[in-house]
Amino acid sequence: MEPVSRADFAAEIHDHVSARLAHNEQRYTAGRRRLVEVLSQAGRPVTLPEITELEPDLAPSSAYRNLDVLEQCGVVHRVAGSAEHAHFELAEPLLDHHHHLICIDCGAISDIQLDDELEALVDKHLASAARAVGFEPLRHSLDLHGRCARCSGR
């Protein structure tokens, strides 16, 4: 299989976002496009202040409103951390399936991926537990809360 170029990958993301927004009767405005680009380039969950630092032309109030629309349309995922600011990242399937390590002291969030075998085992056990109570699972996400290396003094 040939590797996908960064330009092709970016075009795929924008095509997917455009279709998702259109499905929700929303427009893919220049401001929303720039937010998607910032989130894609960040490569990690970022806060609104970090977004506006990375892209100073985005007004915080407008960026926040657009993040809300993108979240409602399933383009952006809000990561519930312990910091004073929410963190945002592109939602699946725009990003590969992953989980988070969340520092309870500084609020830093890191992405982690489980190997396929462990991911399948987690899916199996979560689906079994859900079925036992009549719950129909769609997807899962795991967030591990603790202290990062910096905050734990390691």
Side-chain angles (χ1 to χ4, degrees):
M1 177 178 235
E2 276 186 50
V4 176
S5 74
R6 179 125 178 96
D8 289 342
F9 179 70
E12 286 179 31
I13 287 176
H14 290 300
D15 289 346
H16 180 86
V17 172
S18 181
R20 180 77 62 121
L21 287 168
H23 177 76
N24 288 276
E25 299 179 359
Q26 294 287 335
R27 294 179 331 134
Y28 197 17
T29 63
R32 291 173 184 168
R33 184 180 186 88
R34 191 62 198 126
L35 276 171
V36 167
E37 289 172 359
V38 168
L39 292 172
S40 177
Q41 292 168 2
R44 63 180 174 81
V46 290
T47 63
L48 182 59
E50 290 172 321
I51 291 169
T52 56
E53 184 178 310
L54 292 167
E55 184 54 58
D57 291 340
L58 291 172
S61 59
S62 176
Y64 190 77
R65 281 192 306 274
N66 281 320
L67 283 167
D68 188 50
V69 169
L70 292 170
E71 183 181 13
Q72 289 176 21
C73 293
V75 171
V76 168
H77 172 69
R78 183 186 306 249
V79 180
S82 59
E84 61 187 72
H85 296 286
H87 288 73
F88 301 91
E89 66 182 358
L90 294 177
E92 291 178 31
L94 297 171
L95 294 179
D96 291 333
H97 180 73
H98 65 279
H99 305 286
H100 301 105
L101 302 175
I102 301 172
C103 181
I104 62 170
D105 289 338
C106 71
I109 298 177
S110 302
D111 292 345
I112 58 169
Q113 288 186 313
L114 304 178
D115 65 48
D116 292 342
E117 187 177 326
L118 182 54
E119 195 68 56
L121 189 61
V122 168
D123 272 340
K124 176 184 168 187
H125 285 281
L126 289 173
S128 177
R131 272 192 312 276
V133 295
F135 185 81
E136 182 181 341
L138 300 175
R139 64 188 165 278
H140 76 265
S141 64
L142 302 173
D143 294 333
L144 184 59
H145 297 260
R147 288 187 176 84
C148 68
R150 188 175 51 127
C151 292
S152 66
R154 291 190 206 153

